[in-house]
Amino acid sequence: MHKKEMVAMILAGGQGTRLKDLTKDICKPAIPFAGKYRIIDFTLSNCTHSGIDTVGVLIQYKPLNLNTHIGIGIPWDLDRMYGGVHLLAPFMTETGGNWYKNTANSIYENIGFLDYYDPEYLLVLSGDHIYKMDYSEMLAYHKEKNADATIAVIEVPEEDVSRFGIMSTNEEGAVTKFVEKPKSSDSRLASMGVYIFNWEKIRKLLIEDNFDKNSQNDFGKDIIPKLIEKKERVFAYSFNGYWKDVGTIESYWEANLDLLKDDSKLNLYEDKWRIYSKTTANPPQYIGENSRIANSIISDGCVIMGEVSNSILFSNVYVGRNTKIMNSVIMANTKIEENVIVDKAVIGANTTIRRNNVVGNSIDIALIGEGREVKSNSGVQGV
């Protein structure tokens, strides 16, 4: 064993069905974001900045793209001799094997991995959220409260409480009630899916929960309520920064375009908390003589001959003459030919939009999956 103070486990096996064609061939955490990143880059970078050098990434649904992206963890300084990043897929034993059933079960199935590092604390994270967070500050709070479990929370509008696990707390910050996706609630403290547990205690509960036939083996639905029922010390840790669950096409589109706002709370350009990612060698951008670009993020390798406004273009995107791109997210290696209008769209990588097309209607978000061809004069409306 190589004892670590805290080991992070990133839940990255989800399909993300509400993202439709974006997750047809890749898992949700591997979806490109903000011109040059993948969604999981934010969680991995948070671990690096927080001083966490041992990370398990739990994979399941179509993991090839994610595996290739993470590799041995070099961009996040996680290529370590003792620790580092580990890609953890479901596996067979002498008694058989199963797919991960749910969030808590996926941790249970990797108890052997965690026992190898014998951590004092377990950090459980989601691999599909956009945010910057110092987990070391959360750990300090966990220790200060002498907690058995600490849950990161963010205040949400009243109309959004039905989308999250909602907690009620007392004056000390202890969680007195936890309800998964209630129809209504007096509290607006929503779980961010970021948990710190005392490993020895949660290990026992994970084993107990796994053999409970009435359990769904989920942290929100089963583990957290059981901790509260057992009157363990469960505390809420308030987070005030930018955080977004990009679980739908609309939230994914919004999170990308949030970066273009003058008052954006997610700064990709600060030196002290950079988001790291696997990078490729692409040529510089080329901006044509009669082109026009406004309030946009344009990645390397792009060739812009038309107009781009309030949009995010990933690497090697071609925009033809007399083409206008507005309020859109265009993924890598996409070619948009001449005389095309794209307004409020999300377009997957390696896609071709032939000339004389209209994609989107400025009201609903138009979605085109990876590797598609939209032929001339066919058009695509919102979804």
Side-chain angles (χ1 to χ4, degrees):
M1 291 189 295
H2 302 87
K3 188 169 181 64
K4 299 284 185 178
E5 181 182 28
M6 184 160 72
V7 170
M9 297 289 271
I10 301 177
L11 307 175
Q15 178 179 355
T17 54
R18 293 178 299 164
L19 286 164
K20 302 178 182 178
D21 279 0
L22 290 186
T23 55
K24 181 180 179 182
D25 297 309
I26 62 175
C27 59
K28 185 177 171 184
I31 292 175
F33 183 83
K36 65 173 295 181
Y37 307 104
R38 305 282 179 146
I39 292 174
I40 199 171
D41 290 343
F42 288 81
T43 305
L44 287 169
S45 297
N46 288 341
C47 288
T48 297
H49 291 297
S50 302
I52 299 169
D53 65 5
T54 306
V55 179
V57 181
L58 284 73
I59 56 176
Q60 183 158 279
Y61 173 80
K62 294 191 175 180
L64 177 61
N65 202 294
L66 185 65
N67 293 357
T68 303
H69 178 70
I70 294 175
I72 60 172
I74 292 174
W76 307 275
D77 193 28
L78 289 172
D79 51 329
R80 304 295 184 96
M81 183 173 292
Y82 301 113
V85 67
H86 301 256
L87 299 167
L88 303 172
F91 55 89
M92 299 289 292
T93 68
E94 66 277 5
T95 57
N98 295 291
W99 294 109
Y100 296 144
K101 298 173 188 174
N102 219 323
T103 55
N105 173 258
S106 66
I107 302 296
Y108 165 82
E109 294 291 348
N110 287 284
I111 283 178
F113 167 80
L114 288 160
D115 283 346
Y116 178 79
Y117 289 107
D118 189 26
E120 189 172 352
Y121 305 103
L122 168 66
L123 173 65
V124 177
L125 305 166
S126 296
D128 52 9
H129 296 158
I130 304 296
Y131 67 118
K132 293 181 178 182
M133 182 178 183
D134 190 340
Y135 305 130
S136 67
E137 293 180 358
M138 183 176 172
L139 179 59
Y141 175 87
H142 180 86
K143 293 176 179 178
E144 176 191 328
K145 294 295 186 180
N146 191 28
D148 296 307
T150 299
I151 305 167
V153 298
I154 193 165
E155 193 165 321
V156 298
E158 186 175 350
E159 60 268 22
D160 288 345
V161 297
S162 61
R163 295 174 49 214
F164 300 98
I166 301 296
M167 276 162 286
S168 301
T169 60
N170 62 20
E171 61 278 2
E172 295 179 340
V175 177
T176 57
K177 184 180 179 181
F178 183 95
V179 182
E180 185 72 9
K181 298 181 179 179
K183 292 182 179 179
S184 62
S185 175
D186 294 334
S187 174
R188 294 194 292 135
L189 294 178
S191 170
M192 296 168 58
V194 176
Y195 311 112
I196 292 180
F197 301 105
N198 292 348
W199 171 237
E200 186 176 337
K201 182 158 288 186
I202 199 65
R203 185 185 189 279
K204 294 177 182 177
L205 184 55
L206 286 169
I207 295 171
E208 175 187 308
D209 176 76
N210 190 69
F211 291 98
D212 180 354
K213 294 182 179 179
N214 296 317
S215 175
Q216 297 181 53
N217 309 126
D218 183 81
F219 280 107
K221 296 175 182 177
D222 304 288
I223 298 297
I224 303 301
K226 284 177 181 177
L227 285 167
I228 296 171
E229 182 183 324
K230 291 173 178 284
K231 300 191 182 304
E232 304 290 2
R233 293 180 61 80
V234 181
F235 281 82
Y237 174 77
S238 294
F239 178 72
N240 298 314
Y242 182 94
W243 178 85
K244 196 135 192 166
D245 178 355
V246 287
T248 65
I249 294 296
E250 183 177 7
S251 62
Y252 172 81
W253 177 84
E254 287 176 349
N256 273 278
L257 267 64
D258 279 348
L259 298 168
L260 303 176
K261 295 178 179 178
D262 290 339
D263 60 348
S264 176
K265 295 181 179 179
L266 184 64
N267 184 1
L268 297 180
Y269 300 94
E270 59 180 346
D271 288 335
K272 68 177 182 178
W273 204 277
R274 293 199 173 191
I275 303 302
Y276 301 111
S277 185
K278 180 181 178 181
T279 58
T280 55
N282 290 310
Q285 309 157 357
Y286 176 79
I287 311 300
E289 181 179 4
N290 297 314
S291 62
R292 179 180 176 274
I293 298 174
N295 194 43
S296 297
I297 294 174
I298 310 295
S299 298
D300 51 359
C302 288
V303 175
I304 312 297
M305 307 301 290
E307 298 183 15
V308 180
S309 63
N310 203 48
S311 296
I312 294 177
L313 273 58
F314 286 73
S315 60
N316 301 315
V317 170
Y318 175 85
V319 178
R321 288 181 174 82
N322 299 318
T323 286
K324 295 183 179 180
I325 311 294
M326 299 167 285
N327 310 308
S328 296
V329 179
I330 316 296
M331 296 185 192
N333 304 310
T334 289
K335 183 177 183 180
I336 303 174
E337 295 184 346
E338 294 73 26
N339 301 311
V340 174
I341 295 176
V342 178
D343 192 358
K344 199 172 182 181
V346 175
I347 299 178
N350 304 301
T351 290
T352 300
I353 311 294
R354 297 298 181 191
R355 66 186 67 219
N356 304 321
N357 255 307
V358 176
V359 176
N361 56 19
S362 78
I363 299 173
D364 302 310
I365 301 169
L367 172 65
I368 299 176
E370 181 176 350
R372 305 297 175 82
E373 178 184 2
V374 179
K375 296 182 179 179
S376 296
N377 301 306
S378 55
V380 177
Q381 296 303 308
V383 294

